[in-house]
Amino acid sequence: MPDKMSIWSLVVNASFVVQLVMLLLLLASVLSWVMIFQRHFVLRQAQRKLRAFEDRFWSGVDLSLLFREVNADPDSGNGAENIFRAGLKEFSRLSQQSGADRDAIMDGAQRSMRVALAREEEKLELHLPFLATVGSTSPYVGLFGTVWGIMNSFRGLANVHQATLASVAPGISEALIATAIGLFAAIPAVIAYNRFSAKTETLMNSYETFADEFSSVLHRRVHTSN
């Protein structure tokens, strides 16, 4: 009896539907953990690169020189750098046009930075919808496996003259494992989603602040050069 009630035995002897549910949940859990570690690394790197670029930007370096340096060795994972390159590139292009209006130059530069901001938000939010989906649906998928397993256990009682706890315990136990695996997949995904969403929002606020400050610098530049 103890061998039959071990976790492995219950999983192996479970019905096909319950085994399929367990497999799907385990796959979702593995993918979630891969994405959790990947998002953790990406967001940590983004925060570090933001601080480094802001220190470089406010160090008093000439913007044209900084633009040439970052263009020579662009870092697509540096959000602030991408916003800076997009804004200054459009600013320089419009400024070189003869008779360009100051407001049109600023509008163009700000528009380019807004596009860069949207792209950075897409990068930061990558895989977060998957974590949200796993966190919200895994318990219900596990519950489906549990209901199916318990239903099969009670169906088996129809062929038994005397029902005992020992006759239904394995079926109910294997069914409950599906719920446990569902919770195992959902809980880390929900925690990670909430944490990464907060970090993403913080980074986006920092990017928007940088874009506003850079717009002020460009505004002063366009009005002092004409």
Side-chain angles (χ1 to χ4, degrees):
M1 186 66 181
D3 291 336
K4 292 182 180 180
M5 292 299 293
S6 67
I7 300 296
W8 178 248
S9 297
L10 292 172
V11 172
V12 171
N13 296 320
S15 65
F16 173 76
V17 173
V18 176
Q19 287 181 338
L20 181 61
V21 168
M22 293 178 182
L23 180 62
L24 290 174
L25 290 173
L26 286 174
L27 180 61
S29 179
V30 171
L31 291 176
S32 294
W33 279 106
V34 170
M35 293 177 184
I36 286 171
F37 284 113
Q38 192 265 351
R39 284 293 91 192
H40 172 74
F41 175 78
V42 167
L43 293 174
R44 185 179 63 179
Q45 287 289 94
Q47 185 67 49
R48 181 182 63 80
K49 290 178 180 180
L50 170 64
R51 290 196 297 266
F53 185 81
E54 283 188 323
D55 291 342
R56 191 177 176 189
F57 179 83
W58 295 112
S59 64
V61 63
D62 181 71
L63 294 185
S64 299
L65 175 61
L66 179 59
F67 181 73
R68 289 194 295 271
E69 290 177 355
V70 297
N71 256 351
D73 186 21
D75 183 1
S76 61
N78 192 327
E81 178 183 312
N82 293 333
I83 295 167
F84 168 77
R85 284 194 290 112
L88 191 55
K89 180 179 180 180
E90 185 67 10
F91 179 86
S92 300
R93 186 185 70 83
L94 294 175
S95 298
Q96 291 172 1
Q97 296 179 359
S98 59
D101 181 70
R102 298 175 181 179
D103 292 334
I105 294 174
M106 287 304 305
D107 288 342
Q110 291 171 348
R111 188 163 51 249
S112 294
M113 286 190 284
R114 285 196 296 270
V115 172
L117 277 169
R119 289 174 179 168
E120 292 307 314
E121 187 172 14
E122 290 179 0
K123 293 178 185 177
L124 295 177
E125 292 181 347
L126 186 65
H127 301 320
L128 292 189
F130 178 83
L131 292 177
T133 301
V134 171
S136 61
T137 61
S138 291
Y140 296 104
V141 175
L143 183 60
F144 169 77
T146 297
V147 171
W148 188 273
I150 292 176
M151 181 179 67
N152 283 339
S153 297
F154 281 108
R155 286 176 59 191
L157 292 179
N159 300 322
V160 178
H161 296 290
Q162 184 177 1
T164 62
L165 181 61
S167 62
V168 298
I172 294 177
S173 297
E174 75 183 30
L176 292 175
I177 291 176
T179 297
I181 297 176
L183 294 174
F184 177 79
I187 293 174
V190 171
I191 294 174
Y193 173 79
N194 291 333
R195 181 175 178 82
F196 294 154
S197 294
K199 285 188 173 183
T200 297
E201 185 177 357
T202 300
L203 276 168
M204 287 306 302
N205 289 336
S206 298
Y207 288 155
E208 290 172 2
T209 300
F210 172 78
D212 290 341
E213 292 172 339
F214 184 38
S215 294
S216 298
V217 173
L218 293 180
H219 187 270
R220 290 194 299 268
R221 184 170 180 175
V222 76
H223 281 80
T224 56
S225 62
N226 287 286

